[in-house]
Structure formats: structure tokens, C-alpha cells
Amino acid sequence: MQKKENEKTSEQDVMIAMAKFLSDLWFVDDFRDQPEYLSEIFETILLSEMGDDRDLRIRIINSIRTSKMLAETLGHFSDREINKACARIMNA
């Protein structure tokens, strides 16, 4: 369900959206490997002429940091534990 800006939403709506995002993340790829994948990709970009752009470098660093935070936050849980928690939140 798409919400409009400044539309009243509940905390439960936010939690359900986050649970769905995390659940969908499992079908794309293993999130635990994402920081390394991003680092490899961005390192290649940074070595190119395009990598001389300061704003691009900042966005790259922020993307890697966000990916690492996700992997560190959820990395010690099993896929089964995470999927079970996401399903429980989405069905709440």
C-alpha cells in the first residue's frame, strides 16, 4: 500500500514494511555478502576517472556503511530466525 507524504501512518505499518523489506532481501542475495560485493564494485569505480567525483565518493562510502550495518545487525541470526520474525511481524 503506497502512502502519501504527511499521511498519518502507524508504527505497525512501518514495522510491517520493514519486515517485508527484510524478507524480500533474502530472495535477492545473501545480505551477509553485500558489504564485500559493494566494496569490490566501488573500489573499481573509485580507480576510474569517474571515481574522482567527491559527491560520488561520499555516496559510495555511505552505501558501504549502510550495508555493513545491516549485515552486522542481522548477521548473527540464522535465515530461519529472520524469516520467522519477519513473518510474525507481517501477520501481527
Side-chain angles (χ1 to χ4, degrees), residues 24-80:
D24 291 347
L25 189 62
W26 279 220
F27 294 108
V28 175
D29 206 350
D30 189 348
F31 71 92
R32 292 169 183 92
D33 296 329
Q34 290 301 312
E36 290 83 33
Y37 294 163
L38 284 174
S39 292
E40 289 174 22
I41 292 166
F42 293 151
E43 186 176 305
T44 302
I45 292 171
L46 291 173
L47 294 174
S48 71
E49 187 176 323
M50 181 182 9
D52 288 339
D53 184 304
R54 184 173 186 267
D55 289 335
L56 176 63
R57 285 178 176 267
I58 291 169
R59 289 192 300 270
I60 287 171
I61 290 167
N62 288 337
S63 294
I64 292 171
R65 184 180 307 128
T66 300
S67 180
K68 283 182 180 179
M69 286 172 41
L70 175 62
E72 289 170 5
T73 300
L74 299 176
H76 60 276
F77 298 108
S78 71
D79 288 350
R80 183 172 181 219

Side-chain angles (χ1 to χ4, degrees), residues 1-2 12-28 74 82-92:
M1 180 167 82
Q2 182 75 17
Q12 184 175 0
D13 291 339
V14 175
M15 294 302 293
I16 290 170
M18 287 300 300
K20 176 148 181 30
F21 165 75
L22 292 173
S23 180
D24 291 347
L25 189 62
W26 279 220
F27 294 108
V28 175
L74 299 176
I82 295 169
N83 284 328
K84 184 177 177 181
C86 289
R88 188 169 178 192
I89 291 170
M90 288 187 290
N91 294 324

